[in-house]
Amino acid sequence: MRVEILGTAAGGGFPQWNCACRNCSLARAGTFPTRSRTQLQVALSSDEKSWFLLNASPDVTRQIESSSFLHPSGGTRHSPISGVLLTSAELDQSLGLLLLREYQPLQVFATASVRRILREDNSMFSMLERSEDQARWHDVVPGTPFNLCSQTGGQAGIECLPLSVARRYPSYVPTQRTAELCACEAVLGVILSSGKRLGYFPSIGKIDDSLLEQLNSLDVLLFDGTFWTDDELIRLQIGTRTAREMGHIPVSSPDGSLDLLSGLRCPKKMFVHINNTNPMLDATGPAWQKVRDSGWEIAEEGCHLEL
Ligand SMILES: [Zn+2]
């Protein structure tokens, strides 16, 4: 399985258009030690012909253009992208679907609840339904493995195990609608395997023993690196909610992911979905060094993985 990391940032990207935090200000001034980052996007394939996107970021069309393996190669209208697997209905994970609307046939894998939020409650998503063979939605059930399939229904050689990892729907979903939906379908982490196992967990609210057991079985882990501390946005006076209240376990501090996953047996561990305020983005700073000393990497755009 080939895995390509096309974007690594949390919602808003880095720098974020309306943010003047230390990281964003230095990035604009050209004095930040690492380059700008687009919003999290991963693509994977078992045969390097048929590709699947893990979520669809608002930067997806730019990310496709900068990745030659995702360019059309079979006629005037063609895409090697067979499908999109959605782990939640968050905008930074799903908005890019709307940008893939040009009558391109796509398989969309999502829980029934996420499908209902996008298709039934947001009329713009009907742009994906203008022709019969355009978007084909497949309901994903947490805990039930399934195979990713291509446009023609053929198996793509990648098995996916979806796991329910948080029970919080995006804040744009009305309370009444949330009450009708199954909370266990709100946020998924997924384990993708074609022999070796990739874990994709961009949003994790809590780590329990059953999740730890799954993570210990992985060859590569892409994990929630959104915030460094629980009170990151409050301390910067740009938000009122803690990281945990937003569904993200912070990287540092006791009970943070570095601490709770310190005994993890997975040999390659990378943080993704990194918010622009996170001090670990600064490769000259102590937070970045702590991540590296703990055996973790901070994912970079353009990173290729072979599993
Ligand atoms: Zn910022």
Side-chain angles (χ1 to χ4, degrees):
M1 181 162 59
R2 184 171 149 199
V3 180
E4 298 282 337
I5 298 178
L6 311 179
T8 57
F14 173 63
Q16 177 178 309
W17 68 281
N18 66 341
C19 188
C21 74
R22 177 182 180 275
N23 289 350
C24 289
S25 300
L26 291 176
R28 278 191 199 97
T31 52
F32 200 74
T34 52
R35 56 190 178 146
S36 62
R37 291 168 185 265
T38 56
Q39 292 164 95
L40 178 60
Q41 185 65 62
V42 174
L44 54 88
S45 173
S46 64
D47 60 7
E48 304 197 16
K49 292 188 191 106
S50 177
W51 287 84
F52 293 87
L53 302 180
L54 300 185
N55 292 319
S57 93
D59 297 317
V60 71
T61 51
R62 182 150 63 106
Q63 291 161 330
I64 290 169
E65 282 311 307
S66 56
S67 309
S68 58
F69 51 90
L70 296 179
H71 293 172
S73 60
T76 316
R77 279 283 194 277
H78 168 263
S79 173
I81 299 169
S82 288
V84 180
L85 169 59
L86 297 176
T87 59
S88 77
E90 290 291 345
L91 286 182
D92 72 313
Q93 314 281 278
S94 60
L95 199 57
L97 259 190
L98 282 178
L99 308 177
L100 304 177
R101 69 186 184 278
E102 284 82 11
Y103 289 104
Q104 183 62 44
L106 279 178
Q107 315 289 311
V108 184
F109 303 87
T111 62
S113 298
V114 166
R115 171 176 54 76
R116 290 175 68 190
I117 292 168
L118 298 180
R119 280 180 73 184
E120 296 174 17
D121 300 349
N122 291 278
S123 59
M124 277 194 286
F125 278 85
S126 63
M127 287 299 277
L128 294 169
E129 319 278 340
R130 286 179 295 166
S131 66
E132 213 172 288
D133 64 345
Q134 203 176 344
R136 221 169 271 162
W137 292 74
H138 302 262
D139 285 355
V140 166
V141 179
T144 304
F146 64 96
N147 289 300
L148 293 176
C149 54
S150 66
Q151 290 309 121
T152 52
Q155 303 292 309
I158 300 173
E159 188 186 80
C160 176
L161 172 63
L163 300 169
S164 175
V165 294
R167 302 171 69 82
R168 183 185 163 279
Y169 282 98
S171 46
Y172 72 80
V173 181
T175 312
Q176 193 187 341
R177 180 53 137 167
T178 301
E180 297 165 4
L181 301 172
C182 174
C184 70
E185 294 190 345
V187 184
L188 299 177
V190 289
I191 294 177
L192 298 134
S193 125
S194 67
K196 295 205 167 176
R197 290 158 70 84
L198 168 77
Y200 182 70
F201 292 84
S203 180
I204 282 281
K206 100 176 192 281
I207 299 172
D208 58 21
D209 286 346
S210 79
L211 178 64
L212 264 178
E213 196 183 318
Q214 294 287 355
L215 299 184
N216 269 322
S217 74
L218 300 174
D219 296 287
V220 176
L221 169 61
L222 303 179
F223 196 80
D224 185 344
T226 312
F227 296 111
W228 183 249
T229 55
D230 199 33
D231 62 351
E232 190 162 313
L233 297 186
I234 297 168
R235 218 186 289 184
L236 290 167
Q237 298 183 322
I238 53 180
T240 54
R241 290 184 301 164
T242 65
R244 287 174 201 278
E245 283 168 352
M246 286 186 278
H248 300 287
I249 186 167
V251 174
S252 75
S253 73
D255 292 337
S257 50
L258 283 182
D259 179 30
L260 294 177
L261 300 178
S262 60
L264 199 64
R265 294 193 292 273
C266 173
K268 191 168 182 71
K269 308 177 286 275
M270 307 174 92
F271 284 116
V272 294
H273 197 265
I274 306 156
N275 199 55
N276 59 79
T277 52
N278 191 326
M280 74 180 184
L281 283 176
D282 183 349
T284 61
W288 186 89
Q289 195 58 50
K290 182 168 182 191
V291 169
R292 300 294 289 139
D293 291 345
S294 305
W296 284 76
E297 296 172 48
I298 293 168
E300 297 292 339
E301 295 180 25
C303 173
H304 322 264
L305 302 166
E306 289 283 349
L307 281 94

